[in-house]
Amino acid sequence: MAGFLKPTPGFATTAIHHGQDPEKWKCAAVVPPIVTSTTFKQPAPAEHTGYEYGRSGNPMRNTLEECMAALDGGKEGFGFASGLGATSTVLSLLSKGDHILSMDDVYGGTNRLLRQVTSRMGVEITFVDFTQLENVEKALQANTKMCWIESPTNPNLKVVDIAATVKLTRSRGEIIVVVDNTFLTSYLQRPLDFGADIVVYSLTKYMNGHSDVIMGGAVVNDKALGARLRFLQNAMGVVPSPFDCYLVNRSLKTLALRMERHKSNALTIAEWLQKHPKVVEVKHPGLPCHRHYEISKKQTCGHSGVFSFVHAGELQESRKFLSSLNIFTLAESLGGYESLAELPSVMTHASVPAKQREELGITDALIRLSVGLEDVDDLIKDLDQAFNAAFV
Ligand SMILES: *Cc1c(COP(=O)(O)O)cnc(C)c1O
Ligand SMILES: *[C@@H]1O[C@H](CO)[C@@H](O)[C@H](O)[C@H]1NC(C)=O
């Protein structure tokens, strides 16, 4: 353009290449930099130094995957863009004509994925209550290739005997046993120790624990199964961002501390609720009166912060109770440092068909808490005043 100065020659090239030599990142930072690069320099065609393209691997993601695997006592870990991303990828191990047996009381999104997506791919699905092992035994078919366990379940806190389920399926052929371990994390329960093949996580919940990342994960113990999942992770592409991996890697450093506090806060509240005149039932696997207390003791180091209780009122009392809470926030999700409360029948489990909801006991008087890391006395005071407001 006439009359104007000419741009500096090579400006664009300089902006892209100056000071950006890939070999120089050898500084000894205690917290390494987040590598956001989508591609990695190769010394020669078809040779690489560990990384080639961000979907197949990234230093931050691999760090997190290794850490997750170690925490679960597994050989290989996998990061995904969400918990359901992990679930979709794991379900893609199945082929048309295969059958999957799933716990009846699974996470709503897992239920929806199985019923509305996986079933369209020609995979047969049966939901049964795994807490009665004879149900599993009866429902196993010649083409059963996967058993999907979630334990404890949501919002009923049913506990599935992982070792017993594995033993039963092992006697019936090559069936992959998957455990969704979101509610307890590897700190409180390690399903691979009991023979499960795959552990899946919504890292969004306790593993990250700060309510600021949506991410999923999986861990396996078997190299061959790991290779199949690694292939699917890359082929399907449901991968997380390096920044999110960084956040979860950091969060894992306080997992043990957080889970101890979630555990003790929730147990103290559950014991308090048990004595409350307006409470009919407390569903918490750490209470000796819980019907799966013995299995819980056998396979977990205690329970986390999420549990439910049934009160003596109805929908109206639930509404009043929830809107009167000050420290507990009325919200879906769980596993963060902040305490949450919700009404599954009209919130998280509204998509479960009414009939199934009734069978599962998800009534309008069932309230789910996700007890956070606050001072437990303050949480109890908050619940107490909400009861007083709801039951005048
Ligand atoms: C939240 C959750 C999921 C799904 O995870 P997203 O990260 O929300 O996709 C799966 N299983 C359980 C038990 C969950 O609580
Ligand atoms: C993971 O997080 C911890 C704690 O912040 C940090 O010391 C470690 O270097 C992190 N790893 C990477 C690869 O960032």
Side-chain angles (χ1 to χ4, degrees):
M1 285 205 282
F4 289 89
L5 295 176
K6 282 203 171 64
T8 310
F11 184 91
T13 306
T14 304
I16 292 169
H17 293 290
H18 200 82
Q20 313 291 316
D21 179 11
E23 277 81 19
K24 84 177 209 187
W25 292 112
K26 291 191 183 112
C27 62
V30 172
V31 177
I34 302 171
V35 176
T36 55
S37 186
T38 54
T39 189
F40 299 84
K41 184 177 173 181
Q42 307 195 5
E47 271 178 39
H48 63 81
T49 52
Y51 298 98
E52 42 191 340
Y53 183 60
R55 174 162 30 75
S56 10
N58 164 284
M60 202 59 247
R61 191 177 94 205
N62 294 29
T63 298
L64 172 64
E65 291 177 336
E66 276 171 38
C67 189
M68 271 192 326
L71 293 179
D72 254 298
K75 287 204 174 69
E76 269 196 86
F78 302 85
F80 298 98
S82 67
L84 280 177
T87 302
S88 317
T89 308
V90 168
L91 288 175
S92 298
L93 289 165
L94 299 172
S95 305
K96 189 169 170 218
D98 289 349
H99 173 245
I100 174 168
L101 196 54
S102 169
M103 175 71 187
D104 58 354
D105 196 18
V106 282
Y107 174 70
T110 306
N111 186 307
R112 180 177 55 200
L113 179 65
L114 287 168
R115 282 184 199 279
Q116 299 187 35
V117 184
T118 312
S119 64
R120 285 198 288 108
M121 310 294 168
V123 172
E124 247 186 290
I125 300 152
T126 311
F127 291 93
V128 296
D129 183 352
F130 278 53
T131 64
Q132 313 297 131
L133 220 50
E134 58 269 26
N135 293 340
V136 179
E137 186 152 23
K138 269 190 237 137
L140 284 171
Q141 303 179 178
N143 60 340
T144 305
K145 292 287 160 60
M146 191 177 276
C147 275
W148 195 278
I149 298 176
E150 196 176 303
S151 183
T153 62
N154 173 16
N156 275 308
L157 285 304
K158 293 198 263 188
V159 179
V160 178
D161 188 328
I162 299 171
T165 311
V166 168
K167 190 164 167 238
L168 171 64
T169 56
R170 287 288 178 269
S171 70
R172 299 286 286 267
E174 281 215 4
I175 300 172
I176 300 173
V177 177
V178 185
V179 178
D180 182 333
N181 200 30
T182 301
F183 266 35
L184 292 184
T185 79
S186 43
Y187 182 70
L188 295 175
Q189 172 169 277
R190 303 210 311 173
L192 300 181
D193 291 352
F194 300 98
D197 301 293
I198 307 181
V199 186
V200 304
Y201 287 107
S202 169
L203 300 174
T204 311
K205 314 295 167 50
Y206 285 111
M207 295 286 266
N208 182 57
H210 292 68
S211 307
D212 53 5
V213 174
I214 296 280
M215 209 197 289
V219 178
V220 304
N221 229 338
D222 181 76
K223 285 267 180 220
L225 187 56
R228 287 172 70 195
L229 264 187
R230 189 65 71 198
F231 169 79
L232 288 172
Q233 182 191 41
N234 184 47
M236 295 179 64
V238 194
V239 294
S241 79
F243 183 65
D244 285 348
C245 291
Y246 166 82
L247 287 174
V248 178
N249 167 66
R250 190 194 53 179
S251 296
L252 289 182
K253 307 301 173 268
T254 55
L255 183 65
L257 294 170
R258 287 186 286 109
M259 293 318 286
E260 281 298 338
R261 177 74 168 234
H262 283 298
K263 179 165 85 171
S264 69
N265 273 4
L267 191 58
T268 305
I269 291 175
E271 284 164 350
W272 178 82
L273 283 169
Q274 253 190 327
K275 290 184 224 127
H276 196 283
K278 294 295 176 201
V279 173
V280 178
E281 189 189 354
V282 180
K283 300 184 183 210
H284 185 298
L287 294 175
C289 64
H290 189 278
R291 63 191 165 123
H292 302 135
Y293 181 64
E294 291 305 321
I295 305 171
S296 241
K297 281 201 296 188
K298 205 177 72 174
Q299 68 186 21
T300 76
C301 311
H303 188 63
S304 63
V306 58
F307 70 96
S308 312
F309 67 92
V310 181
H311 60 68
E314 290 174 18
L315 183 59
Q316 193 191 334
E317 283 75 21
S318 285
R319 287 192 184 282
K320 187 75 190 145
F321 177 87
L322 290 166
S323 58
S324 304
L325 291 168
N326 296 318
I327 299 178
F328 280 86
T329 302
L330 172 58
E332 298 192 0
S333 198
L334 58 105
Y337 56 81
E338 76 291 4
S339 290
L340 305 177
E342 67 119 0
L343 188 56
S345 66
V346 299
M347 295 172 67
T348 47
H349 291 67
S351 70
V352 176
K355 189 168 170 292
Q356 201 189 350
R357 244 188 355 244
E358 199 187 304
E359 285 164 11
L360 293 171
I362 306 175
T363 67
D364 292 334
L366 178 91
I367 288 178
R368 188 184 80 184
L369 302 178
S370 172
V371 177
L373 307 177
E374 299 94 335
D375 295 293
V376 72
D377 292 346
D378 291 333
L379 293 175
I380 288 177
K381 267 186 230 150
D382 193 29
L383 294 170
D384 197 33
Q385 64 80 26
F387 271 115
N388 293 339
F391 292 90
V392 277

XYZ file of all heavy atoms in Angstrom, residues 55 143 214 229 266 296:
46
model
N -3.246 -35.667 20.267
C -4.340 -36.599 20.574
C -3.799 -37.940 21.047
O -4.369 -38.583 21.918
C -5.269 -36.783 19.357
C -6.334 -37.841 19.586
C -7.533 -37.782 18.636
N -7.237 -37.267 17.325
C -6.591 -37.923 16.350
N -6.164 -39.151 16.566
N -6.378 -37.364 15.188
N -23.313 -64.553 25.102
C -22.646 -63.429 24.435
C -22.337 -62.268 25.381
O -22.014 -61.167 24.940
C -23.501 -62.931 23.258
C -24.877 -62.453 23.697
O -25.344 -62.807 24.780
N -25.523 -61.664 22.862
N -14.143 -30.705 33.943
C -14.907 -31.878 33.501
C -13.881 -32.817 32.873
O -13.218 -32.454 31.897
C -15.963 -31.503 32.424
C -17.026 -30.549 32.967
C -16.595 -32.767 31.810
C -18.138 -31.175 33.776
N -7.438 -50.197 24.726
C -7.992 -48.908 25.158
C -7.173 -47.738 24.612
O -7.715 -46.702 24.256
C -8.011 -48.822 26.688
C -9.306 -49.179 27.386
C -9.188 -48.862 28.870
C -10.501 -48.415 26.797
N -18.825 -36.482 56.617
C -20.068 -37.139 56.194
C -20.541 -38.140 57.246
O -21.737 -38.229 57.528
C -19.869 -37.838 54.854
N -18.886 -53.412 52.582
C -18.193 -52.129 52.572
C -16.867 -52.215 53.313
O -15.843 -51.719 52.848
C -19.070 -51.092 53.277
O -19.401 -50.084 52.420
